[in-house]
Amino acid sequence: MRFLLIGLDGLRPELVTHDRMPVLTALLERGTVLARHSAAFPTETYVNLPTLVTGARPSGHGMVANFFLDPRVDARERFEGYDVAKIEKATAAYDGRLFTTPTLGEILAANGRRLKVLSANSAGSVRLKQPMTGLDALCLSVHQPESSFPEAEVRAILDEVGRPEAPKQYPDLAGTRWMTDAFLTVITRDLPDVTILWYGEPDNAYHVFGIGSETSLGAMRAVDDQIGRVADWWEAEGRAAGVQLIFVSDHAHVTQTRRFDLAAALRSAGFRVDRHLADGADVALIPGYCGNMLVRDRSPALAAKVAAALMEMDEIGMVFSAPGQDGVEGQAPGTFDRRLAGIDHARAADLVFVLRNFDEPDQWGLTGTCLHDNGLGDGVGIHGGLHPKEILSLGALVGDRFRSGARIETATGTADIVPTMLAMMGLEHTIAPGPHGGRPVWEAMTPADGTAMNMGRNSRIGYFSDRHAELVAEPETVQSLTVGTRRFVQRLDRRLRGGRAHIEAGRRIG
């Protein structure tokens, strides 16, 4: 049994229809759709890719935001997930372990199995899918092959397929085609146990042209065409070879409508604001729709003062701080405890905030808008926060080991994909433990698969064992929490299952 995991960066699942993406739609109808599949918070690429490949939440793997400042790495320069040089710098500062949870590549290598990753988004995002350069695991960046490894294997692919078109265009139709060419021409000749094909569209198009624009819809159709080529191979060869298909997106998008300059607002409130704390600033701000900040001397009192100022601003939607006493309210009064959002880690910022989002439709009639603090402009796609439309992500499992024509309403998330694969390969003992770790989606598997698997003496959870019925029927609890101040009230909606929490929505309600 082998797995082909196909990622469609940023894809908003409600837009997958027969008219827009006929090939993908037809494949989903043949498999199991995860109807409540959620991204981890922050709903950002450089958070959710580590979540995907470790099967753990940010509190487990340590990548707490797309961009964050960690003085142990650099007192002045922030970590940026798209930048390979900064990833390598952070890896060195963390004694060679960028993630604090083992990756899929490490687990497979330790058990005599192989991983290959091909990705058409940023070089950094490719590296975050497989950060351990010493493993015999292909990590190929379509647009920066010089950052890829192993060098000999990368050279052989480039010699056979040719070099990708440069420079990268938006939408990235050429990169999308080239990656499919490389997979079908080279990778299929010697399939590893797990292959990850990660398409950068439609995320690129959503960010530049807007979610419902004709250009973005065209990018979706272009990706669907490439999925069609892969599906033709699967029908002709892969399916009979036991290849199981998994489709995911790492988050979805809402539309940003108006910029809010938070740095200026904080300065007006009397704080010294900079990009770092090295020159005596009160606040080191990482701005954005979802952003974060460190405060001078990591002072809880100063963090509480800054949080109070944030909650006086009409544009602020949510605020999280260090763990508090009751497990709901954070250390700063009126904020949520960051443990509730799965981001409590040694690298976590003192304060994490989300600007306000709304249910109003955008210019294409799609629900979900928000304020922003970036240079992309009004009217384009963004993500990172906790609107239901950006949390809900694509998740689907297709193949003879998964149920056909099924729709699962139980809560699943990005962290559950790798545990599902590991369990089906008999490696469930390697799954990251809860509450940080995900779970196998047992309810998506066919009974024939369960009875065929020999779980052995090292099995922690045996499929269709005496415990299996309990696991599939494990109850879910819907939880709505509120916290706030006199003029600021925020709510967090979560589904709890087996000690693991999946956030469904979060926003300011007063």
Side-chain angles (χ1 to χ4, degrees), residues 136-178:
D136 181 21
L138 176 67
C139 181
L140 176 57
S141 169
V142 169
H143 294 291
Q144 286 189 262
E146 65 277 5
S147 69
S148 307
F149 55 86
E151 291 184 10
E153 186 172 3
V154 172
R155 282 197 305 270
I157 293 172
L158 295 177
D159 288 344
E160 184 164 355
V161 184
R163 294 189 67 87
E165 181 179 307
K168 179 180 178 180
Q169 304 292 317
Y170 294 91
D172 182 28
L173 306 185
T176 296
R177 287 192 301 271
W178 188 93

Side-chain angles (χ1 to χ4, degrees), residues 326-398:
D326 64 2
V328 177
E329 188 172 42
Q331 191 176 72
T335 67
F336 271 123
D337 187 324
R338 67 191 181 205
R339 289 176 295 187
L340 295 170
I343 52 173
D344 186 39
H345 191 276
R347 302 172 192 168
D350 297 316
L351 296 171
V352 176
F353 63 88
V354 182
L355 301 184
R356 293 192 82 162
N357 59 46
F358 311 94
D359 285 334
E360 64 188 31
D362 64 12
Q363 61 267 48
W364 299 285
L366 299 170
T367 300
T369 62
C370 68
L371 304 181
H372 69 95
D373 192 8
N374 60 55
L376 295 176
D378 298 345
V380 300
I382 195 65
H383 50 90
L386 289 171
H387 191 285
K389 292 297 186 180
E390 62 188 314
I391 297 173
L392 185 65
S393 305
L394 176 68
L397 313 166
V398 183

